[in-house]
Amino acid sequence: MSIYPDRLPEDVEAERALLATLCGPGADRELSECMGKLRDDDFMHPGYRIIAQAARKLSRGGSEVNALTLRDAIQETGELGKVGGFSGIVDALNFEEVGRPMALVDILGKHRKRRELIRLGASLIREAQGDESPEEVASRAAESLASITVSQHKGGLISAGECADSVMADLDADVAPGFRTGFTRLDDITQGFQPGQMIILAARPGIGKTALALNWAIAIAHAGPVFIFSLEMPDKALVRRMACNVGSVPQRAVKTRTLTEFQRGMFGRAIKTVQSLPILIDDNASITANEIRSHVLRQATQMSEVPALVIVDHVTLVASDGSAKGKNEATRIGDISRTLKVLAKEAGCPVVVLSQLNREVEKADRKPILSDLRDSGCLEQDADIVMFIHRKPKPKMEGDEPDRTAELIIAKHRDGECTSISMEFEGGYCRYVEVERETEPQHPAAGTLGKGSGW
């Protein structure tokens, strides 16, 4: 008995009603909005698919859309016979119109996804009976499943006209598409972390890379799920650090259990705040880049939501799979870097990758530059943004406060300027804050900055 259905999910009447509505008089605005959401394979009826393609082409060209203009457009492609000629177009559009065409777009999109799921299931059954390892089959199936429910664009050539619609939609949106980090000046410069970006954050050991990344995680988690892959620190330590940040509670007091009654109350409330945030942590110290990719896509599918941020802490600790045997470290890191960049584009979210710097920076006691990235070639090439945390080493005299001054250096910015941001490290609370130095030139886009925490 075949599990493949005799008939794939479809709603031909909904397809026809949608075309009749969008191709009617005075429906130019509705047509433009709906065509930005529709895909060709949302239409199961081959004739209706051809009409929809012609309507999209006419709309982008600014032409009126009606039976006559559709006939001419379809005739140019040589497909008029496939729709039943001019009478077939008239018959397709002679149907009851609807008041909310976007509801029909949603219906057709759901039917298309169900069809893709059925085809994926049938393919999975065939592949599971082959010679490939179950892990490889499952990993590929997870990625295909995520592309159905998460990604809106599956690759291939796309016209500049279709991209232009998205550009204008972004321009008209109330807010910029980036995810705000909670650091005013950084957000002004980057317009937030953008979907599809790979962002490198590098520094010497012990400078506070994880602390700054957690600052970003707390802020961005208010916009959507954040996934943290911590190869260096256990999950409980990360949660403790986030709670100290949120509650302004000294980490040392938590670790030594010497909290005052007031601090205990603050920490308890901070823990509840962290619990309420959609932050997921994986502290598997032997995870590979492909496993990170599979976990993100699978979790996004289960949640039916695109992650707002993925953090990998840190890249040199990511384990190698079998294909890395015999490769040197630079080549190995290059493979990991490319996989994480692909993940950023596939999942449609920013991926922050933490990295160490070469030891030469410590010896020279200078500000880091791009060539100081450990095994820097591919990391620098793949990244959209590269940032360094720079703190001057300063001997601590007895009774003196440690030097908290820091600098966030944006050394590479594919879509904007490279500059630096003055910061302070509040190590006791596991956080960085932006500050404005009196000697620092004001960034033209930043406005007046006060001291503020990173969330």
Side-chain angles (χ1 to χ4, degrees), residues 355-374:
S355 176
Q356 301 280 22
L357 292 175
N358 292 321
R359 291 289 180 182
E360 284 72 15
V361 179
E362 296 181 51
K363 296 175 184 176
D365 186 19
R366 58 171 172 75
K367 293 183 180 181
I369 57 177
L370 287 173
S371 60
D372 292 322
L373 272 174
R374 184 173 292 179

Side-chain angles (χ1 to χ4, degrees), residues 142-155:
E143 292 169 15
S144 299
L145 187 62
S147 72
I148 294 172
T149 56
V150 177
S151 179
Q152 296 296 317
H153 178 50
K154 296 174 67 176

Side-chain angles (χ1 to χ4, degrees), residues 323-334:
S323 64
K325 189 175 181 180
K327 294 181 178 179
N328 61 35
E329 184 66 4
T331 304
R332 187 184 79 85
I333 295 298

Side-chain angles (χ1 to χ4, degrees), residues 229-231 282-293 295 312 317-321 332 336:
F229 294 88
S230 176
L231 293 93
D282 186 332
D283 63 358
N284 179 3
S286 59
I287 197 168
T288 68
N290 280 318
E291 286 173 339
I292 291 173
R293 180 184 172 201
H295 288 347
V312 179
L317 295 180
V318 175
S320 301
D321 52 28
R332 187 184 79 85
I336 294 169

